[in-house]
Amino acid sequence: AQSVTQPDIHITVSEGASLELRCNYSYGATPYLFWYVQSPGQGLQLLLKYFSGDTLVQGIKGFEAEFKRSQSSFNLRKPSVHWSDAAEYFCAVGPRGLMNRDDKIIFGKGTRLHILP
Amino acid sequence: NAGVTQTPKFQVLKTGQSMTLQCAQDMNHNSMYWYRQDPGMGLRLIYYSASEGTTDKGEVPDGYNVSRLKKQNFLLGLESAAPSQTSVYFCASRGFETQYFGPGTRLLVL
């Protein structure tokens, strides 16, 4: 079965500290991979995506993610978090290429990031 | 370029009332989606549409109906609203690979 697991529901880090949010997936073939961020009361904004090539991808707001095929993981990282990074983060996987009728993008349940001053 | 827009932004209904949530996208995307988001539940897919004129049920379709008569519009209907449908509803569209979300509709059913 296709699924996305974000094992941490909540994570708290101090401002200026490094961050890693975990994401593991189960999918029939190597999917497209995404990270989205949702600030309170807002919609989901795309942070970064992985399609192919370099397994370390850079996104907006200083975030990066590394695709590890052997571990079926796509963890999100940031070297130094800012108070404005407090939000909920969603990992997602989707099919390659044009979507067939039964293809869907699958989201994890999210990780809420709290920042300590 | 507006992307994905949703109307209304906020709505209060009484139990049993009906309403339609509207979603529009200007990116010429084939696929469109409706999700609901509830605390601790993440995003749950209600219905999706792979192309104009086609719709399919997602994870939680009960109590909802949808319409995709035009490529740019995807409507979500609640025929008889229930308190369990209190939620934040997000519409999204997808082009070749990436899904783009609207700002959401916050629905309260009393």
Side-chain angles (χ1 to χ4, degrees):
Chain A
Q2 300 171 342
S3 64
V4 176
T5 301
Q6 294 180 247
D8 303 305
I9 298 174
H10 293 271
I11 281 188
T12 301
V13 298
S14 298
E15 190 169 16
S18 63
L19 170 71
E20 182 170 36
L21 302 183
R22 295 182 291 165
C23 173
N24 293 93
Y25 67 88
S26 173
Y27 207 80
T30 301
Y32 288 157
L33 297 154
F34 309 87
W35 275 99
Y36 287 85
V37 60
Q38 185 182 30
S39 297
Q42 303 296 313
L44 277 74
Q45 180 184 17
L46 182 68
L47 272 179
L48 49 78
K49 56 191 177 185
Y50 172 77
F51 294 156
S52 64
D54 192 346
T55 56
L56 184 64
V57 294
Q58 303 297 320
I60 62 171
K61 306 184 180 187
F63 285 91
E64 65 179 26
E66 185 173 12
F67 169 57
K68 293 186 176 180
R69 185 190 306 271
S70 61
Q71 298 177 17
S72 296
S73 69
F74 189 54
N75 293 348
L76 182 71
R77 301 194 294 247
K78 187 171 185 178
S80 177
V81 298
H82 186 263
W83 65 266
S84 60
D85 294 325
E88 191 156 22
Y89 293 80
F90 292 91
C91 180
V93 301
R96 291 181 167 270
L98 291 174
M99 208 177 75
N100 296 317
R101 187 160 177 166
D102 292 329
D103 289 334
K104 295 178 285 292
I105 290 183
I106 302 168
F107 286 82
K109 293 194 180 300
T111 297
R112 185 167 295 278
L113 175 64
H114 306 270
I115 307 294
L116 295 175
Chain B
N1 189 340
V4 181
T5 57
Q6 293 183 234
T7 54
K9 291 184 178 179
F10 182 73
Q11 184 72 47
V12 179
L13 291 178
K14 294 181 180 179
T15 296
Q17 287 185 317
S18 63
M19 79 163 295
T20 299
L21 280 64
Q22 301 191 20
C23 175
Q25 53 97 1
D26 62 2
M27 296 174 281
N28 201 35
H29 288 167
N30 285 320
S31 304
M32 297 186 74
Y33 309 77
W34 276 107
Y35 294 89
R36 60 177 290 174
Q37 185 179 37
D38 304 288
M41 304 294 287
L43 288 168
R44 291 185 292 171
L45 183 64
I46 304 171
Y47 271 94
Y48 66 104
S49 170
S51 62
E52 177 183 344
T54 68
T55 61
D56 288 283
K57 294 179 180 179
E59 184 183 355
V60 288
D62 294 343
Y64 305 95
N65 58 75
V66 289
S67 171
R68 183 92 184 273
L69 298 178
K70 294 182 179 180
K71 187 175 186 179
Q72 64 267 34
N73 300 119
F74 194 28
L75 307 180
L76 178 70
L78 287 74
E79 292 184 345
S80 179
S84 61
Q85 293 177 304
T86 293
S87 187
V88 181
Y89 292 85
F90 288 100
C91 176
S93 72
R94 180 176 185 247
F96 181 69
E97 70 284 324
T98 304
Q99 203 164 54
Y100 297 91
F101 285 83
T105 294
R106 195 170 293 270
L107 177 66
L108 175 62
V109 182
L110 302 175

